[in-house]
Amino acid sequence: MAVIVILLVLSFRSSSSLAAAYGISVSMTMLIDTLLLAIVARALWPKARRWVLPCCVGFFVIDIAFVVANGAKVLQGAWFPLVLGIVLFTMLRTWRRGRRLLHDAVQVNGLRLDTFISGLMLAPPVRVPGTAIFMTSDPGVVPHAFMHNLKHNKVLHERNLFVHVQHHEVPWINFDKRCEIEPLGHDCWQVSLHFGFKNDPDVPEALALLRERGVQLDD
């Protein structure tokens, strides 16, 4: 990052060009903050809408004036944060779209976990002591690690947990709502762990709560 900053300063060559880039960045950040405040007030603060939203309109007018004033300096250096923002936005949108397409493809083409385990028990492999934990991003679908374990090791552990970690757009999720467990039969369980964005995503600590649900775990 230090190298990139040095190259950026050397490429702009003058403090006025850097000021133009900085100005458009700050003014657009202020504009986005105002829009986000209006969205939050409208969605979450119904009693405060009548005074928060008019304040947002006043801030919006001022922020637009700053953006337009700095937009006149696009050729002097303000183009850089605009191009950088567009590139990062495109990358993140592409990543999000790709994740959604991958998830949909796995859900359509993947093997259903409950059906697979029921069929597997018609001619069960050798059961070995211990608890196996298979992390999966697609609950209800057979994880690749589970398939590879059966294919190469040709064994099935005594207890099997298929764990999906889900992060929510709330700050905290209490321990009483941390775990959801669904028995699949034959000592296999589908486990969903829920974390807020301020929770420490400690998976071993969360899995320890399963003992209270009657699931035996290795020490």
Side-chain angles (χ1 to χ4, degrees):
M1 184 178 293
V3 172
I4 294 175
V5 171
I6 293 173
L7 293 176
L8 185 62
V9 171
L10 293 177
S11 63
F12 274 96
R13 298 184 179 181
S14 66
S15 59
S16 60
S17 297
L18 280 172
Y22 181 78
I24 193 70
S25 301
V26 173
S27 59
M28 293 196 71
T29 300
M30 294 167 58
L31 177 62
I32 292 173
D33 288 342
T34 300
L35 295 175
L36 291 177
L37 176 61
I39 292 173
V40 171
R42 186 176 183 277
L44 302 179
W45 303 337
K47 295 182 179 180
R49 290 176 188 171
R50 50 188 168 183
W51 62 270
V52 173
L53 293 181
C55 290
C56 289
V57 173
F59 288 136
F60 181 80
V61 173
I62 297 174
D63 294 337
I64 283 291
F66 278 117
V67 171
V68 172
N70 287 281
K73 301 179 181 180
V74 170
L75 298 180
Q76 301 177 20
W79 60 269
F80 179 78
L82 296 176
V83 172
L84 181 62
I86 292 173
V87 170
L88 293 177
F89 176 80
T90 303
M91 291 174 59
L92 292 174
R93 288 292 299 179
T94 302
W95 177 83
R96 182 178 181 182
R97 175 66 174 167
R99 292 285 297 177
R100 173 55 58 185
L101 292 175
L102 177 61
H103 177 269
D104 294 341
V106 170
Q107 291 292 329
V108 172
N109 301 320
L111 298 173
R112 300 302 305 173
L113 184 58
D114 50 358
T115 304
F116 180 81
I117 291 178
S118 299
L120 182 65
M121 291 305 147
L122 297 177
V126 177
R127 304 293 291 260
V128 295
T131 302
I133 298 175
F134 299 96
M135 304 298 294
T136 175
S137 59
D138 299 288
V141 178
V142 179
H144 290 292
F146 183 56
M147 295 289 290
H148 284 293
N149 181 63
L150 292 173
K151 179 179 179 181
H152 297 290
N153 299 325
K154 297 180 173 56
V155 296
L156 183 66
H157 285 78
E158 184 181 4
R159 296 172 298 276
N160 297 272
L161 303 179
F162 303 94
V163 180
H164 170 65
V165 178
Q166 185 172 358
H167 297 275
H168 297 269
E169 296 181 357
V170 295
W172 304 102
I173 292 181
N174 295 327
F175 281 105
D176 57 342
K177 298 180 180 179
R178 182 62 48 84
C179 296
E180 287 184 357
I181 182 169
E182 177 185 353
L184 302 172
H186 310 284
D187 291 322
C188 298
W189 294 270
Q190 173 74 62
V191 180
S192 295
L193 303 180
H194 302 276
F195 296 97
F197 59 81
K198 285 191 175 182
N199 286 124
D200 181 17
D202 192 332
V203 173
E205 180 185 38
L207 290 177
L209 299 173
L210 296 177
R211 291 190 175 94
E212 303 174 1
R213 309 283 187 93
V215 179
Q216 183 181 351
L217 299 175
D218 298 333
D219 296 328

